[in-house]
Amino acid sequence: MEENDEFAVTAEEGRSRVFTQLKSYCFELLELVQNPKKSSSSVSSLLQFLRQTPSHALQPFFDYTLFPLLLLLDASVDCRSPKKLGSEEKVVSANITKVPQKVSDSVAEGVLQCLEELLAKCLLGSVDQMVVVLKKLTYGALLSPSDASEEFREGVIKCFRALLLNLFPCSDKSCTCNQIFGLPMLLEKRDFISPPIRSPKYASASVECLLSFLQSQAASAAVGHWLSLLLKAADNEAARGHLGSAKLRVEAFLTLRVLVAKVGTADALAFFLPGVVSQFAKVLHASKMMTSGAAGSGDAIDQAVRGLAEYLMIVLQDDANLSGRDMSITVTSDKKYESTQSFMDELRQLPTKAHAQSKILLDDSSGQMITATSKSERKTNSGKGGASFHVNRTDDWIEKTSVHVDKLLGTTFRHICIHPAKKVRQGLLASIRGLLSKCTYTLRQSRQMFLECLCVLVIDDSEEVSAGAQEFLENLFSLVGRYQLEQDVAQIFSRLIDKLPKVVLGSEESVALSHAQQLLVIMYYSGPQFVVDHILQSPVTATRFLDIFAICMSQNSVFAGSLDKLITSRPSSVIYLDSVSELKAGINLTSDCLINMAATPQNPKIMAIQEKDTPYTSDNAQKNYELPHMPPWFVYIGGRKLYQSLSGILRLVGLSLMADKKNGQHLALVTDIPLGYLRKLVSEVRMKDYNETSWHSWYKRTGSGQLLRQASTAVCILNEMIFGISDQATEYFRRRFQNSRKRRQEFQESDAEFVGGQPFKTELSMFGESRWKVLQDEGLRSHLIDCIGRILHEYLSHEVWDLPTENRSSIVLHDYEAEDISINLFHDTAMLQQVIIEGIGIISICLGGDFASSGFLHQSLYMLLENLISSNYHVRSASDAVLHIMAATSGFPTVGHLVLGNADYVIDSICRQLRHLEINPHVPSVLAAMLSYIGVAYKILPLFEEPMRSVSLELEILGRHQHPELTIPFLKAVAEIAKASKREACSLPTHAESYMLDVKAKISDTEKKDEDDINMSHVESEKWESILFKLNDSKRYRRTVGAIASSCMMAATPLLASENQAACLVALDIVEDGVTSLVKVEEAYRHERDTKEAIEEVIQSYSLYHLQDNLDAADEGADENRLLPAMNKIWPFLVVCIRNKNPVAVRRCLSVVSNVVQICGGDFFSRRFHTDGSHFWKLLSTSPFHRKANLKEERIPLQLPYRSTSSSSESSMAETSNLKVQVAVLNMIAELSRNKRSASALDIVLKKISGLVVGIACSGVVGLREASVNALQGLASVDPDLIWLLMADVYYSMKKKDIPSPPTPDIPAISQILPPPSCPKEYLYVQYGGQSYGFDVDFASVETVFNKLHSLVFVNQMYS
């Protein structure tokens, strides 16, 4: 008892303390009412106090606190309201001089915040109190944006919502307030904070049921007025454009949703349905044209969509209309609410502005007003004589209303499902779920439209949206009684198929994408049997379906679409057009024509910008080339998303044929339909060849170009259908349509679910996945391989690959009208070949290992390698990508391993085509490209002996005369083979030496083991026999490498004398690689010889004479001396290359000569430089900046008419080119003289060379100074005294001062040792090197070079 008393005393003290503080605040508020301009912090202090005080402490003083707040609110509204003075008011105002003082914005906004906090924490005490508060808030809500600030108007709406949220059902279970949910059914958690939990003592502060009053006839006018005010507030912000407040607009829509939920009955809301729905439709229609500002706010549109759906779910709910639709609606008219009639009268007498705002609820300026009620349906209040705000929801009313609602929703929902804002699409999904759950019968005319929108949301870009849509659609398709749903789906499917070409070829890509996505989802969730029954039930329907897709994906649609599409594709104009479009859209918002609006967006530019995909660039094609690939012409029709949807439909068609054994028999019939276009093209090309018609005439003929493009489209369709049978396609559909299963648990608790609703539970967790799988049946698999074999046969028809892709092609060279061939022919051919190559890759993906086992790999591999040299980049890229895919599907890590594994087939095809170069002129380029691209030539080197014989024949004089255009391609192929042989040859010495050391180690082990026993066991004998066999294999392989290298060199040697620069350069590369290969082969031979000698000792020591024959079996021919004989044949052609004086070739030749001499040794070339060196040194005899007259012996000799003359001569060289050639000669001299192995080559001509180089170094040609000094350094390493003597002769003869004295008197002076010459011709360097032209002595250069050599060479000569 004492504890209770103590608790009561504590509670009483708490209330007293709260009242004391509230009393002071309230007095200050009353002073503010009297003097609004008085500065006071009471409002902000009161707000802080209200937020900190719990609701149970504030409830006893609710009336006390409410009174001054309402007074201040009155004053704030009054000073902001526009004054309209009538005649009576003018008389009264004449006697009144006092003007109401203005309440500041900060005070007014603070009052609203306090009022909101108070209404949120305290319960209203009676209906009369609620009416008073509503009246005050109504006047505040009537203020326009020009009268009150944005914060003030938002505060009024928040106060109204706080009042509504604090209305709770009464304790009477039979009361109508307990029949409603009380909160918006589609409310998300982020939009609402639950009201505080109240103690039972303050669960209801009123004896009357406030919610029941809100649902009664007496409050209908107030409800309608507030619906009008909230909609008007949102509309005002949208009309202000970018100045409007999106936040206020969201608050208005959210408050309206709360009001509708609190009223909650169809009887009370049905009367206002036409106006509310029309206003919501106007809001949603504006979102099609506005992407920014208050009208384009995603949050506001989301609230509008949910609000519209909630209103329809209450008024048109099946349970509320089907059970009692024939019964008249009883109007509630309780006596206890008659006292509020005066409030209703006041509302009706509100200013004209209020009537203007509410009038929109009952009127539509479009002239197509949704009939609210008829005279027979309206009930009249006999007591008051006024019209009732209720309608009888009869069958006729429901039918008419649903028809008009369907029109409104049809013009808005279809574009909202592709809205760029995710929140909007989430709101639409929640709305569709609610409407299909609550209004299945009453909105049956809109059911198909809801399903179409739901299908678009199923594959939404946002995983949250798609997961919720998939989950709901799975439930719809898994219902037991779904006959009506199947009928709806069938009708939707037929309609979508018929309209598909029109929308795809239209100007709105977003509409086409939405349309294709709907069709894809319908097919997937209906199952494979549905697809077969509706598409493939007969050849006629299958042909019609494929013809529709041929139209949609045809190249003829390149010219479809509007100019808007072209304009929006240019980034420079997008921003400008966007702004202009929004300005125009803002003007159009003033129109109220909502019923006649088109279903497509009015501003295609904005939608194009929003839905535009990142264009595909060819720069990253090698990295991102995925199959199936969007055909190259489809970029003019639509984006990647549209193609993915269309291709997904075709993949489902192919997959449906393989999901059942019975349906699989139709695969051949279905694939033959598009394959017929390709067969027709092949037939036409054959007729063209038979009639010997030119390509120009054939393509110019009517229908040929169209047939070529139809074949490309047909191949694209076939590719997609075949890919649908693969496991990758099944996985693709599983990933795309199984988001609901992956994230179901997460989204059941998210804000996407209904507030208070039951989450949807899917019983079939693997819905759709088990139905869309390829049936694993051997007979069906065999039938599939047969069908693909027929398709691949047409793909590889040589007529298709004979089509020209460039004007320079050998196919069109013989056409007399080749120059007139349309470039469109090449373009169309390249696209056809590209999609065929991609189709081969898709077939490889589909069949996997069966692709090789069925022989398809061998049929197609060489064709793909051929197209690696295609002139069209896209064809080359496709071939590259497909080769990588085939390698992966066949179990090879790289393309090189793929070719290596099938090298015999590839080389066999090359050899076969080499025998008929007239009809296969491309084979040399194919061989070169294959070897350079794959990089495994060294692994298949032994297979090249036969091709090299054919290549060598073609590079001889007769072969080059017959096929001159093939010389360079053949050389390139030989160059790749030479590179491969060089790579293998470089590894031979290391392996041979390693094997030699291993054999010697085994010999040492054997000798230690068998010191006392001269007989070897049988096991040891077999071991040495295996060692011998391995040595013989190494010999054979070395001999093969050497033979191929020699063949390459001999084939390329004659072309060293070619005046064709490209041929000469390739031949030089081959010779250099060949020489390197041969020297390595000889080095390996020496190691093998040592190994052989060691094994012979073992044979002799242990009497293993039966192994002697095997040891001598591999010794055939003298292969230890290949290099020098080859160089003996090559040297004359190198000299001819120098004499041709082609600058680039000469520089490369000098580099090759330098490398070759260093490899072979200088002794071999000493006499050759003495004999032929003049052709080399002649290059240094004339300055690049000096032209000398042609001497008699250098004049062009008389030649026969058919002999060509050199186009390059010394006089025709550019100065820079000549300078580079001389630098190359000097570098060659420096390299040869520095290397002891090659320095002997210059012994005989050392004085000649030294004189030439000194003359160049002493000249004023600065460009040659560094190279000449480098050459002098090299020559000084051979004979430094000679170089010093030549340089000192020039230096001291020109230097008159500071000549050094002899170190001892016995040594004569320099002038006596080197007497000064009387003329330049008496210089020693001239006497040794001969007369030169243009290299006049320059003392500055002489001094510079002499000093540099003095420090580098003469002072401290380094001998290497």
Side-chain angles (χ1 to χ4, degrees):
M1 192 67 181
E2 293 179 357
E3 292 180 358
N4 292 336
D5 293 340
E6 183 179 352
F7 176 77
V9 171
T10 305
E12 185 65 27
E13 290 178 355
R15 284 195 298 270
S16 176
R17 185 168 55 254
V18 170
F19 177 73
T20 303
Q21 290 183 334
L22 284 176
K23 180 178 179 181
S24 63
Y25 291 138
C26 291
F27 274 116
E28 292 183 11
L29 292 179
L30 292 175
E31 291 181 4
L32 278 177
V33 174
Q34 298 298 323
N35 186 13
K37 293 186 177 181
K38 177 184 178 182
S39 60
S40 175
S41 60
S42 57
V43 177
S44 58
S45 301
L46 176 60
L47 176 61
Q48 185 178 3
F49 176 75
L50 292 176
R51 287 175 176 172
Q52 295 175 351
T53 307
S55 57
H56 64 84
L58 290 175
Q59 184 65 47
F61 315 109
F62 174 64
D63 297 341
Y64 186 84
T65 311
L66 182 64
F67 176 70
L69 290 175
L70 292 181
L71 288 179
L72 264 176
L73 178 60
D74 269 343
S76 302
V77 173
D78 186 56
C79 67
R80 286 166 173 77
S81 300
K83 302 301 179 183
K84 294 185 178 180
L85 300 178
S87 57
E88 297 180 358
E89 292 177 343
K90 289 180 181 179
V91 175
V92 175
S93 63
N95 299 323
I96 300 176
T97 59
K98 187 176 181 181
V99 179
Q101 295 179 342
K102 181 176 177 63
V103 180
S104 65
D105 287 342
S106 60
V107 173
E109 294 161 9
V111 168
L112 287 172
Q113 291 177 350
C114 293
L115 186 58
E116 178 190 358
E117 192 69 25
L118 187 64
L119 292 175
K121 288 189 174 182
C122 299
L123 300 173
L124 294 169
S126 64
V127 172
D128 292 335
Q129 190 178 44
M130 184 176 72
V131 168
V132 171
V133 176
L134 284 177
K135 179 179 178 181
K136 304 297 184 182
L137 294 176
T138 301
Y139 282 112
L142 287 172
L143 295 176
S144 65
S146 60
D147 298 331
S149 65
E150 174 188 322
E151 291 77 8
F152 184 87
R153 291 178 285 116
E154 182 182 344
V156 171
I157 294 175
K158 286 184 175 180
C159 288
F160 180 60
R161 185 168 76 244
L163 183 148
L164 294 174
L165 289 174
N166 232 2
L167 299 180
F168 297 97
C170 63
S171 57
D172 187 0
K173 298 300 181 182
S174 62
C175 182
T176 56
C177 65
N178 288 293
Q179 299 175 5
I180 64 173
F181 180 62
L183 288 175
M185 287 178 284
L186 306 181
L187 190 66
E188 291 182 311
K189 291 181 178 179
R190 67 170 182 261
D191 294 331
F192 176 65
I193 301 176
S194 300
I197 301 175
R198 306 183 183 279
S199 62
K201 183 176 181 180
Y202 297 104
S204 177
S206 173
V207 207
E208 304 164 302
C209 181
L210 302 183
L211 281 178
S212 179
F213 166 74
L214 203 60
Q215 299 167 359
S216 66
Q217 173 69 15
S220 294
V223 171
H225 191 203
W226 267 102
L227 289 173
S228 171
L229 290 175
L230 293 171
L231 290 171
K232 186 61 179 177
D235 188 60
N236 286 338
E237 298 305 317
R240 297 177 66 198
H242 288 279
L243 297 178
S245 170
K247 183 180 178 183
L248 195 151
R249 190 171 165 86
V250 171
E251 293 293 338
F253 285 137
L254 182 58
T255 303
L256 186 143
R257 293 173 60 193
V258 175
L259 174 61
V260 171
K262 290 299 181 181
V263 175
T265 62
D267 296 340
L269 295 174
F271 181 82
F272 308 108
L273 183 140
V276 173
V277 172
S278 297
Q279 284 299 301
F280 273 127
K282 178 181 177 181
V283 172
L284 299 181
H285 174 72
S287 66
K288 294 189 292 185
M289 297 177 290
M290 301 297 290
T291 58
S292 59
S297 169
D299 290 330
I301 299 171
D302 175 35
Q303 295 294 332
V305 172
R306 294 175 185 267
L308 174 60
E310 289 165 353
Y311 203 99
L312 295 175
M313 288 166 62
I314 294 175
V315 177
L316 299 180
Q317 186 178 6
D318 290 343
D319 297 340
N321 291 283
L322 297 181
S323 60
R325 62 179 182 273
D326 294 328
M327 300 173 58
S328 61
I329 305 302
T330 303
V331 179
T332 305
S333 181
D334 296 341
K335 290 185 178 180
K336 61 181 179 180
Y337 298 142
E338 290 179 357
S339 61
T340 63
Q341 191 62 39
S342 59
F343 172 63
M344 298 298 106
D345 293 337
E346 285 193 54
L347 287 178
R348 295 187 181 96
Q349 299 301 324
L350 285 173
T352 307
K353 185 174 181 180
H355 291 285
Q357 292 175 342
S358 60
K359 185 178 180 181
I360 195 169
L361 289 169
L362 305 175
D363 185 68
D364 187 4
S365 60
S366 64
Q368 298 187 11
M369 168 65 185
I370 301 177
T371 306
T373 180
S374 63
K375 292 182 180 180
S376 60
E377 293 170 343
R378 182 174 298 178
K379 296 183 74 70
T380 304
N381 189 335
S382 58
K384 295 293 178 181
S388 171
F389 291 98
H390 288 273
V391 293
N392 288 328
R393 301 187 308 282
T394 61
D395 288 341
D396 184 53
W397 184 88
I398 293 175
E399 185 68 24
K400 290 180 180 179
T401 302
S402 63
V403 169
H404 290 293
V405 168
D406 178 61
K407 290 180 181 179
L408 286 174
L409 297 182
T411 60
T412 54
F413 272 29
R414 283 190 173 90
H415 84 269
I416 293 178
C417 62
I418 56 176
H419 195 278
K422 183 179 75 173
K423 291 181 180 179
V424 175
R425 302 196 301 275
Q426 284 179 321
L428 178 64
L429 173 61
S431 302
I432 292 175
R433 293 175 67 169
L435 291 172
L436 284 177
S437 302
K438 299 289 185 180
C439 310
T440 305
Y441 178 79
T442 54
L443 292 180
R444 57 188 179 277
Q445 298 183 11
S446 304
R447 190 166 54 221
Q448 292 186 11
M449 184 268 295
F450 292 152
L451 289 174
E452 292 176 8
C453 295
L454 188 61
C455 290
V456 177
L457 297 175
V458 162
I459 49 179
D460 191 86
D461 292 337
S462 170
E463 191 171 354
E464 298 178 11
V465 177
S466 62
Q470 289 172 16
E471 183 180 357
F472 182 64
L473 194 60
E474 288 173 8
N475 282 276
L476 290 179
F477 275 90
S478 60
L479 294 176
V480 178
R482 56 172 187 169
Y483 174 73
Q484 184 60 47
L485 179 64
E486 291 178 351
Q487 284 187 327
D488 291 338
V489 169
Q491 293 176 9
I492 294 173
F493 181 77
S494 300
R495 184 170 64 253
L496 291 175
I497 288 292
D498 294 337
K499 292 174 61 179
L500 187 62
K502 181 179 180 181
V503 296
V504 170
L505 302 184
S507 60
E508 285 297 332
E509 184 182 344
S510 58
V511 177
L513 176 62
S514 173
H515 202 88
Q517 288 176 341
Q518 295 172 26
L519 190 57
L520 175 63
V521 174
I522 287 292
M523 292 175 63
Y524 180 82
Y525 281 94
S526 299
Q529 193 59 46
F530 174 88
V531 176
V532 173
D533 293 342
H534 287 79
I535 297 179
L536 311 175
Q537 56 183 347
S538 68
V540 176
T541 57
T543 303
R544 177 177 174 271
F545 174 80
L546 293 177
D547 286 345
I548 287 175
F549 268 80
I551 294 173
C552 295
M553 305 176 73
S554 173
Q555 299 181 48
N556 295 330
S557 56
V558 167
F559 306 101
S562 66
L563 186 61
D564 293 338
K565 193 171 185 179
L566 177 62
I567 294 174
T568 53
S569 65
R570 300 180 179 180
S572 59
S573 60
V574 167
I575 300 176
Y576 171 74
L577 291 175
D578 194 0
S579 303
V580 173
S581 301
E582 290 194 1
L583 291 176
K584 293 180 179 179
I587 298 174
N588 294 333
L589 283 176
T590 58
S591 174
D592 292 329
C593 298
L594 302 174
I595 305 300
N596 294 329
M597 293 174 184
T600 57
Q602 297 299 316
N603 183 9
K605 302 179 184 64
I606 297 177
M607 299 304 297
I609 295 167
Q610 295 163 355
E611 296 294 332
K612 187 177 180 182
D613 292 335
T614 303
Y616 177 80
T617 58
S618 59
D619 295 338
N620 54 3
Q622 298 289 353
K623 300 178 182 178
N624 301 325
Y625 206 114
E626 298 178 357
L627 292 181
H629 191 66
M630 187 176 77
W633 65 83
F634 197 83
V635 68
Y636 300 102
I637 306 174
R640 187 176 299 276
K641 288 184 179 180
L642 177 59
Y643 180 76
Q644 286 178 348
S645 299
L646 293 175
S647 62
I649 297 171
L650 292 173
R651 294 172 192 177
L652 287 179
V653 172
L655 185 55
S656 65
L657 293 172
M658 297 298 293
D660 185 78
K661 188 174 183 180
K662 180 180 66 175
N663 299 335
Q665 305 304 318
H666 301 294
L667 181 62
L669 299 175
V670 174
T671 54
D672 278 346
I673 297 173
L675 200 60
Y677 290 101
L678 190 59
R679 289 170 177 162
K680 186 177 180 181
L681 174 64
V682 171
S683 177
E684 288 290 330
V685 175
R686 288 174 181 170
M687 289 300 298
K688 175 259 176 193
D689 294 338
Y690 179 78
N691 295 328
E692 297 182 353
T693 308
S694 66
W695 285 111
H696 172 73
S697 302
W698 178 82
Y699 190 77
K700 191 176 180 181
R701 189 185 61 187
T702 304
S704 296
Q706 183 180 4
L707 179 60
L708 193 58
R709 291 187 289 273
Q710 286 176 343
S712 302
T713 306
V715 171
C716 183
I717 292 174
L718 273 173
N719 293 346
E720 294 295 346
M721 292 175 62
I722 295 172
F723 182 75
I725 305 173
S726 64
D727 295 336
Q728 286 82 350
T730 305
E731 177 65 18
Y732 166 78
F733 288 121
R734 188 195 67 79
R735 291 195 313 267
R736 195 165 190 182
F737 291 104
Q738 296 300 321
N739 288 334
S740 60
R741 180 165 57 89
K742 182 174 61 175
R743 301 188 61 180
R744 180 173 292 109
Q745 185 64 33
E746 177 182 351
F747 290 119
Q748 281 181 350
E749 301 175 358
S750 71
D751 52 10
E753 298 292 345
F754 296 163
V755 177
Q758 294 297 325
F760 295 98
K761 296 181 179 178
T762 305
E763 298 177 358
L764 302 177
S765 61
M766 302 294 288
F767 179 84
E769 186 176 355
S770 59
R771 295 186 296 171
W772 288 106
K773 282 188 175 181
V774 177
L775 183 64
Q776 301 299 326
D777 181 79
E778 291 185 3
L780 195 60
R781 184 72 173 181
S782 176
H783 180 62
L784 171 64
I785 294 175
D786 291 341
C787 292
I788 288 180
R790 289 195 293 270
I791 294 172
L792 197 60
H793 175 74
E794 301 298 334
Y795 280 6
L796 298 177
S797 298
H798 70 87
E799 289 84 2
V800 174
W801 300 102
D802 285 344
L803 291 167
T805 56
E806 61 175 342
N807 209 1
R808 295 172 296 173
S809 172
S810 60
I811 300 173
V812 299
L813 286 177
H814 303 293
D815 282 357
Y816 67 94
E817 297 174 324
E819 67 278 1
D820 297 328
I821 296 180
S822 172
I823 195 174
N824 294 327
L825 171 61
F826 307 137
H827 184 63
D828 293 341
T829 301
M831 289 192 292
L832 172 62
Q833 293 180 357
Q834 178 184 348
V835 293
I836 288 178
I837 291 172
E838 292 172 356
I840 295 173
I842 291 171
I843 292 174
S844 174
I845 293 173
C846 177
L847 294 183
D850 291 338
F851 184 77
S853 61
S854 302
F856 299 150
L857 175 62
H858 301 149
Q859 295 178 30
S860 55
L861 179 58
Y862 185 72
M863 185 274 294
L864 294 173
L865 293 173
E866 284 182 309
N867 282 281
L868 289 176
I869 63 166
S870 173
S871 59
N872 186 274
Y873 167 76
H874 298 288
V875 175
R876 294 198 306 271
S877 299
S879 300
D880 179 26
V882 171
L883 282 171
H884 282 88
I885 290 172
M886 288 173 59
T889 55
S890 302
F892 295 98
T894 63
V895 177
H897 290 85
L898 172 67
V899 176
L900 185 62
N902 299 272
D904 48 348
Y905 296 97
V906 176
I907 299 300
D908 182 64
S909 299
I910 291 175
C911 293
R912 185 172 59 252
Q913 293 190 359
L914 282 173
R915 300 188 191 103
H916 306 283
L917 285 174
E918 292 79 7
I919 59 177
N920 302 297
H922 59 281
V923 65
S925 298
V926 173
L927 179 59
M930 182 191 72
L931 297 178
S932 62
Y933 168 77
I934 298 168
V936 293
Y938 63 95
K939 293 186 177 180
I940 56 177
L941 204 57
L943 300 177
F944 283 116
E945 288 192 87
E946 181 182 352
M948 275 306 303
R949 286 195 291 269
S950 300
V951 172
S952 299
L953 291 175
E954 289 300 324
L955 290 179
E956 291 181 356
I957 296 177
L958 183 60
R960 297 202 304 271
H961 178 72
Q962 290 177 343
H963 308 106
E965 73 281 357
L966 300 182
T967 299
I968 294 180
F970 270 122
L971 274 177
K972 290 181 178 178
V974 173
E976 292 299 328
I977 297 175
K979 288 179 182 177
S981 64
K982 176 184 174 181
R983 174 173 177 176
E984 284 298 288
C986 290
S987 63
L988 289 177
T990 304
H991 294 162
E993 183 180 10
S994 175
Y995 189 67
M996 178 191 67
L997 296 176
D998 185 50
V999 169
K1000 290 184 177 180
K1002 290 181 179 178
I1003 292 174
S1004 176
D1005 293 341
T1006 303
E1007 291 176 350
K1008 291 179 181 179
K1009 186 186 303 182
D1010 302 324
E1011 290 180 353
D1012 302 329
D1013 188 4
I1014 61 173
N1015 297 322
M1016 184 177 291
S1017 65
H1018 180 68
V1019 176
E1020 290 290 329
S1021 176
E1022 290 183 350
K1023 183 182 73 171
W1024 282 103
E1025 185 175 8
S1026 64
I1027 291 174
L1028 184 59
F1029 287 155
K1030 187 174 180 180
L1031 175 63
N1032 290 339
D1033 291 340
S1034 176
K1035 287 182 179 180
R1036 294 188 187 96
Y1037 186 70
R1038 171 186 52 78
R1039 191 173 293 115
T1040 299
V1041 173
I1044 292 176
S1046 298
S1047 299
C1048 292
M1049 291 176 61
M1050 292 304 102
T1053 296
L1055 293 191
L1056 293 174
S1058 174
E1059 295 179 358
N1060 186 318
Q1061 177 176 298
C1064 184
L1065 291 175
V1066 178
L1068 287 169
D1069 291 339
I1070 295 172
V1071 168
E1072 187 174 29
D1073 291 339
V1075 170
T1076 304
S1077 301
L1078 290 182
V1079 72
K1080 294 296 182 181
V1081 166
E1082 292 186 1
E1083 184 181 352
Y1085 165 77
R1086 290 190 290 271
H1087 292 307
E1088 291 174 357
R1089 183 182 58 193
D1090 295 341
T1091 305
K1092 177 186 173 183
E1093 293 175 354
I1095 294 176
E1096 284 181 340
E1097 292 180 2
V1098 174
I1099 292 175
Q1100 296 295 333
S1101 301
Y1102 293 95
S1103 303
L1104 301 175
Y1105 298 108
H1106 65 282
L1107 300 180
Q1108 186 67 40
D1109 295 337
N1110 293 332
L1111 184 64
D1112 298 333
D1115 292 341
E1116 297 178 0
D1119 53 1
E1120 71 278 4
N1121 188 19
R1122 292 177 182 264
L1123 180 59
L1124 295 182
M1127 280 307 307
N1128 190 46
K1129 297 178 181 179
I1130 292 172
W1131 178 257
F1133 293 95
L1134 292 174
V1135 174
V1136 174
C1137 180
I1138 296 296
R1139 294 180 62 184
N1140 285 337
K1141 297 181 180 179
N1142 184 298
V1144 179
V1146 168
R1147 282 156 48 199
R1148 182 71 181 104
C1149 182
L1150 292 170
S1151 175
V1152 170
V1153 169
S1154 175
N1155 293 334
V1156 165
V1157 173
Q1158 293 180 68
I1159 291 173
C1160 298
D1163 297 337
F1164 180 78
F1165 292 92
S1166 178
R1167 185 170 296 277
R1168 287 169 175 78
F1169 271 120
H1170 177 68
T1171 305
D1172 303 320
S1174 59
H1175 301 293
F1176 293 85
W1177 322 137
K1178 191 186 298 182
L1179 299 174
L1180 299 176
S1181 62
T1182 305
S1183 170
F1185 308 104
H1186 177 79
R1187 302 295 184 190
K1188 69 173 183 176
N1190 290 330
L1191 300 178
K1192 184 176 180 180
E1193 63 272 9
E1194 292 180 349
R1195 292 174 183 172
I1196 300 175
L1198 179 66
Q1199 292 181 339
L1200 295 176
Y1202 61 87
R1203 300 288 291 179
S1204 61
T1205 60
S1206 175
S1207 58
S1208 298
S1209 64
E1210 185 179 2
S1211 60
S1212 64
M1213 282 190 191
E1215 295 175 351
T1216 305
S1217 299
N1218 202 356
L1219 184 70
K1220 291 180 179 178
V1221 169
Q1222 293 181 346
V1223 170
V1225 177
L1226 294 172
N1227 289 337
M1228 181 193 73
I1229 295 173
E1231 292 170 0
L1232 293 179
S1233 58
R1234 275 199 175 95
N1235 191 335
K1236 285 186 176 182
R1237 180 176 173 80
S1238 59
S1240 58
L1242 303 178
D1243 286 345
I1244 301 178
V1245 294
L1246 183 61
K1247 290 184 178 181
K1248 172 75 173 178
I1249 297 173
S1250 300
L1252 287 172
V1253 176
V1254 168
I1256 294 173
C1258 294
S1259 69
V1261 183
V1262 181
L1264 298 176
R1265 180 178 300 166
E1266 184 177 354
S1268 60
V1269 171
N1270 187 30
L1272 289 175
Q1273 279 188 266
L1275 293 171
S1277 63
V1278 178
D1279 191 349
D1281 296 336
L1282 175 63
I1283 303 302
W1284 181 88
L1285 186 64
L1286 295 177
M1287 285 298 304
D1289 179 46
V1290 181
Y1291 178 70
Y1292 289 112
S1293 65
M1294 299 184 71
K1295 188 174 182 181
K1296 305 302 181 182
K1297 298 179 181 180
D1298 299 330
I1299 298 177
S1301 301
T1304 61
D1306 300 335
I1307 300 177
I1310 293 179
S1311 59
Q1312 296 178 3
I1313 300 175
L1314 298 172
S1318 59
C1319 64
K1321 291 184 178 181
E1322 293 184 2
Y1323 282 123
L1324 289 177
Y1325 80 86
V1326 176
Q1327 296 177 18
Y1328 286 171
Q1331 181 67 36
S1332 60
Y1333 301 91
F1335 293 114
D1336 298 330
V1337 177
D1338 178 71
F1339 179 73
S1341 299
V1342 173
E1343 187 176 21
T1344 302
V1345 173
F1346 186 81
N1347 292 333
K1348 185 177 294 186
L1349 290 176
H1350 183 77
S1351 61
L1352 294 176
V1353 178
F1354 303 147
V1355 174
N1356 186 15
Q1357 175 66 37
M1358 301 296 295
Y1359 295 92
S1360 58

